[in-house]
């Protein structure tokens, strides 16, 4: 093990003390207020940012999460569900999966959220984590007589009652990819247990590109891959408040992010909503035993990751909501350019829609094919979830390409908002950048900026690169598809029809 810098003594907060800082959140506005005044340590552009809520670069990512609260009020049928745990309706982002229909509703809600925000709304990894934890804690208890399931249910009841955001910390930095956690030159490259006492454990490490980390109230840390007996210290699952002592966030840059600091609201493309990823560092962070849900049971890490990926890869139907926005933006720009009736434009919109609905169909089919797990909840079909996510690694790129094709080169040669506002340059731009005569130039510019935002700018992270790498990069799905494709059975079908004598 590496020599470590001494860590200042941590305050050993009890589970009850940690929960006492929360009060139930109802509205989106309550949510924003719940993020104020927390003692977070956050770095952005080489400085500590003490007030992320009012930082114009960060705020759009919080607005996307705010929408998960507002949708629950506007459309409770879609975005809330009855929880038998607390016998009340709860936000669907905190509901465990009791039936295939719950998974289908989840997918419909994710598509709706994508339509409303045009970005990653950051709450689904936490949602999928709670179903994974429900089932895996049950399974661990069956084998080891541990108390994890009851602890987890207790945590979840409080999470539901307070309507909190759960962030999922799964992806370790991983260092040398050819080495196991215990073989790494620096053991912190996978998050691990670095201390314990009679009250709880301490964890050290980092979680990379964590979605919505600092917009969350609680973070679940959990292993990122299968582990062996020598990796026991790395086999840890626990929940910590996002502002726990010892956590540091370093904000991830996004393409064109500083446009949010320019003061206007056109050039950003989507002024209201954005995604967020951070490198989240844990330096000897304390977790009381009440919030520890795996502590050395390394043999369950692989199954835990497999269940998470199964749930989460179907959650990527979220991107079909963004795809709906892309189709709409391309169709609107075609109209502003006066080409909406041209046959190849209509055909491109059909192609975009076909690709988008293909993603949705694999995700929703995965949910309808869910099966019951021993803990009593349901898990969606893994093969179809992997197919869904694999579609997501490709089709949004083609949809984006077609949207750019329809938008035309003006999308990337438009002058700035300040030039449009300039007394001399403005009228010139107004005259020469007009499309059809009955649509204001600004309307056309706004739509072009939205397409730029989603295909090249800030929300291209959410629409394109996250589609590629989120919930596992493309090869991870191909491995799962290969594992489950049962080619021997398929050969048997073929041999039978070809009249070849079957061995078995
Ligand atoms: Fe949810 Fe999609 Fe963002 Fe994942 S990428 S958190 S599934 S919106
Ligand atoms: Fe994601």
């Amino acid at each position: 093990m590496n020599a470590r810098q001494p860590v200042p003594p941590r305050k050993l907060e009890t589970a009850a003390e940690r929960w006492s800082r929360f009060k139930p959140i109802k509205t989106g506005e309550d949510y924003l207020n719940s993020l104020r005044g927390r003692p977070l340590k956050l770095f952005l552009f080489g400085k500590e940012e003490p007030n992320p809520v009012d930082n114009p670069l960060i705020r759009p990512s919080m607005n996307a999460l705010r929408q998960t609260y507002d949708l629950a009020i506007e459309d409770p049928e879609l975005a809330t569900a009855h929880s038998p745990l607390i016998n009340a309706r709860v936000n669907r982002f905190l509901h465990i999966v009791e039936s295939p229909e719950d998974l289908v509703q989840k997918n419909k809600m994710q598509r709706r959220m994508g339509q409303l925000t045009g970005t990653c709304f950051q709450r689904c990894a936490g949602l999928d984590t709670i179903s994974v934890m429900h089932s895996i804690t049950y399974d661990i208890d069956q084998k080891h007589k541990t108390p994890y399931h009851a602890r987890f249910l207790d945590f979840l009841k409080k999470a539901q009652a307070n309507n909190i955001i759960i962030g999922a910390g799964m992806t370790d930095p991983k260092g040398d990819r050819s080495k196991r956690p215990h073989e790494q030159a620096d053991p912190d490259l996978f998050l691990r247990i670095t201390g314990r006492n009679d009250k709880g454990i301490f964890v050290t490490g980092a979680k990379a590109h964590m979605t919505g980390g600092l917009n969350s109230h609680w973070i679940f840390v959990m292993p990122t891959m299968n582990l062996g007996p020598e990796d026991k210290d790395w086999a840890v699952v626990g929940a910590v408040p996002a502002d726990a002592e010892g956590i540091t966030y370093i904000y991830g840059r996004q393409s064109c992010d500083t446009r949010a600091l320019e003061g206007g609201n056109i050039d950003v493309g989507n002024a209201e909503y954005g995604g967020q990823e951070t490198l989240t560092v844990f330096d000897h962070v304390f977790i009381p035993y009440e919030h520890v849900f795996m502590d050395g049971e390394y043999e369950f890490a692989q199954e835990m990751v497999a269940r998470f990926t199964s749930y989460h890869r179907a959650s990527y139907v979220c991107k079909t909501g963004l795809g709906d926005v892309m189709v709409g933006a391309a169709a609107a720009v075609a109209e502003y350019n006066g080409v909406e009736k041209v046959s190849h434009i209509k055909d491109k919109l059909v192609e975009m829609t076909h690709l988008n609905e293909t993603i949705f169909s694999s995700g929703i089919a995965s949910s309808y094919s869910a099966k019951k797990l021993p803990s009593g909840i349901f898990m969606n079909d893994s093969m179809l979830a992997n197919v869904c996510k694999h579609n997501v690694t490709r089709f949004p790129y083609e949809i984006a390409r077609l949207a750019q094709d329809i938008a035309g080169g003006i999308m990337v040669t438009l002058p700035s908002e300040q030039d449009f506002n300039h007394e001399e340059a403005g009228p010139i731009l107004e005259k020469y950048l007009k499309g059809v005569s009955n649509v204001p130039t600004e309307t056309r510019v706004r739509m072009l900026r939205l397409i730029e935002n989603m295909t090249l700018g800030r929300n291209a992270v959410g629409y394109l690169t996250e589609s590629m790498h989120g919930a596992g990069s493309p090869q991870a799905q191909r491995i799962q598809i290969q594992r489950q494709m049962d080619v021997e059975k398929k050969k048997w079908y073929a041999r039978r029809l070809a009249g070849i004598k079957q061995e078995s």
Side-chain angles (χ1 to χ4, degrees):
M1 300 232 167
N2 271 9
R4 299 185 53 76
Q5 295 290 322
V7 179
R10 299 274 178 243
K11 211 162 66 196
L12 303 183
E13 283 178 315
T14 64
E17 279 167 349
R18 288 191 160 176
W19 274 114
S20 70
R21 294 207 291 275
F22 294 89
K23 55 179 198 240
I25 298 172
K26 285 206 175 63
T27 65
E29 208 48 42
D30 292 346
Y31 163 65
L32 289 180
N33 288 331
S34 75
L35 301 180
R36 291 184 191 281
R38 299 189 297 172
L40 290 177
K41 187 164 191 175
L42 162 67
F43 287 98
L44 173 67
F45 295 142
K47 290 197 208 95
E48 283 199 43
E49 170 52 90
N51 180 18
V53 183
D54 295 314
N55 183 307
L57 193 143
I58 300 175
R59 179 59 166 273
S61 69
M62 294 169 173
N63 289 343
L65 272 161
R66 185 193 66 195
Q67 189 64 52
T68 67
Y69 289 95
D70 291 337
L71 185 65
I73 294 168
E74 287 154 22
D75 191 347
E77 183 60 30
L78 181 66
T80 69
H82 179 264
S83 167
L85 287 175
I86 61 168
N87 193 25
R89 278 197 93 77
V90 298
N91 193 297
R92 192 174 288 286
F93 281 97
L94 287 165
H95 180 55
I96 49 168
V97 180
E98 295 181 305
S99 64
E101 288 69 34
D102 269 345
L103 286 158
V104 170
Q105 280 297 93
K106 173 185 90 161
N107 292 154
K108 289 182 177 168
M109 173 181 73
Q110 287 165 322
R111 185 167 186 166
R112 182 87 185 110
M113 279 296 305
Q115 293 164 347
L116 292 172
T117 62
T119 189
C120 168
F121 39 88
Q122 308 148 53
R123 208 172 171 179
C124 324
L127 162 61
D128 293 332
T129 296
I130 62 173
S131 288
V132 173
M133 293 320 302
H134 188 280
S135 63
I136 211 81
T137 53
Y138 181 89
D139 294 353
I140 300 175
D141 287 1
Q142 294 299 302
K143 180 171 173 196
H144 292 288
K145 307 281 171 265
T146 38
Y148 299 141
H149 192 63
R151 278 183 194 172
F152 174 70
L153 291 181
D154 187 58
F155 179 92
L156 188 56
K157 282 181 199 166
K158 293 188 172 73
Q160 289 181 339
N162 287 288
N163 197 5
I164 53 149
I165 307 265
I166 295 174
M170 180 170 251
T171 309
D172 294 286
K174 297 197 194 95
D176 181 342
R177 270 61 173 170
S178 72
K179 291 189 160 62
R180 316 289 311 161
H182 73 276
E183 296 168 336
Q184 297 284 333
D186 181 348
D188 296 346
L189 289 170
F190 287 80
L191 184 131
R192 68 197 172 111
I193 299 171
T194 43
R196 76 169 66 236
N197 58 27
D198 60 334
K199 305 223 163 29
I201 59 171
F202 297 85
V203 296
T204 296
K207 292 296 178 181
H209 28 81
M210 188 196 287
T211 297
L214 75 103
N215 294 346
S216 308
H217 301 104
W218 285 80
I219 292 172
F220 267 72
V221 291
M222 48 197 163
T224 196
M225 61 182 215
N226 61 325
L227 300 170
E230 295 109 323
D231 300 318
K232 220 168 168 221
D233 285 346
W234 287 264
V236 56
V237 177
V240 286
D243 58 0
E245 213 179 353
I247 298 182
T248 301
Y249 299 90
I250 306 175
Y251 210 85
R253 287 213 70 171
Q254 296 174 328
S255 170
C256 310
D257 51 8
T258 47
R259 286 194 190 185
L261 307 176
E262 289 172 6
N265 68 11
I266 296 178
D267 286 358
V268 286
N270 178 351
E272 189 69 12
Y273 301 108
Q276 176 195 96
E277 273 79 28
T278 55
L279 177 70
T280 307
V281 182
F282 298 77
D283 184 15
H284 219 57
V285 172
F286 178 66
I287 312 180
Y289 283 119
E290 291 93 320
H291 295 156
V292 175
F293 309 113
M294 179 191 282
D295 186 357
E297 295 84 4
Y298 62 89
E299 73 276 27
F300 285 91
Q302 182 164 22
E303 181 59 22
M304 196 210 77
V305 175
R307 285 183 198 172
F308 180 81
T309 51
S310 189
Y311 282 118
H312 203 46
R313 286 178 185 167
S315 282
Y316 267 65
V317 295
C318 67
K319 302 305 178 202
T320 60
L322 280 69
D324 292 330
V325 177
M326 290 302 308
V327 173
V333 157
E335 230 172 85
Y336 304 158
N337 289 345
V339 293
E340 78 273 23
K341 296 205 170 69
V342 174
S343 66
H344 77 88
I345 298 284
K346 287 195 274 188
D347 193 53
K348 280 169 185 154
L349 294 172
V350 169
E351 177 68 9
M352 291 165 79
T353 303
H354 173 249
L355 292 168
N356 204 40
E357 299 301 338
T358 302
I359 294 171
F360 194 67
S361 51
S362 47
I364 209 104
S366 170
S367 294
Y368 272 117
S369 310
K371 299 232 161 51
K372 206 172 189 173
L373 293 169
S375 75
I377 64 165
F378 281 75
M379 192 177 86
N380 53 308
D381 182 84
S382 169
M383 170 64 99
L384 293 172
N386 278 283
V387 169
C388 171
K389 176 68 217 322
H390 206 53
N391 288 339
V392 172
T393 66
R394 299 171 172 185
F395 298 168
Y397 286 86
E398 181 61 8
I399 294 169
R401 189 186 73 79
L402 290 164
Q404 288 196 350
D405 180 348
I406 293 172
I410 187 69
M411 183 189 81
V412 288
T413 62
L414 277 173
S416 74
E417 193 170 342
Q418 288 96 321
D419 289 323
F420 278 91
N421 292 334
H422 189 269
E423 66 177 290
E424 189 178 344
I428 299 172
L429 294 173
E430 192 63 37
K431 172 180 163 79
Y432 286 106
L433 295 183
K434 203 166 177 67
V436 293
S437 61
N438 61 344
V439 173
T441 305
E442 184 185 312
T443 301
R444 182 170 178 245
V445 170
R446 281 184 179 275
M447 198 54 75
L448 290 164
R449 287 293 186 209
L450 176 65
I451 298 173
E452 182 194 38
N453 167 278
M454 293 181 73
T455 63
L456 294 165
R458 285 198 74 171
N459 288 326
V461 178
Y463 191 49
L464 299 178
T465 317
E466 187 177 51
S467 293
M468 173 83 83
H469 293 295
S473 306
Q475 204 56 30
Q477 291 110 55
R478 297 186 83 85
I479 290 167
Q480 286 302 326
I481 291 169
Q482 187 180 20
R483 276 192 192 140
Q484 296 173 49
M485 66 192 210
D486 202 352
V487 82
E488 286 310 315
K489 193 190 269 176
K490 289 166 185 166
K491 275 156 67 181
W492 190 92
Y493 295 141
R495 284 197 299 263
R496 179 175 160 271
L497 290 179
I500 297 168
K501 196 167 171 309
Q502 305 277 357
E503 296 87 48
S504 58

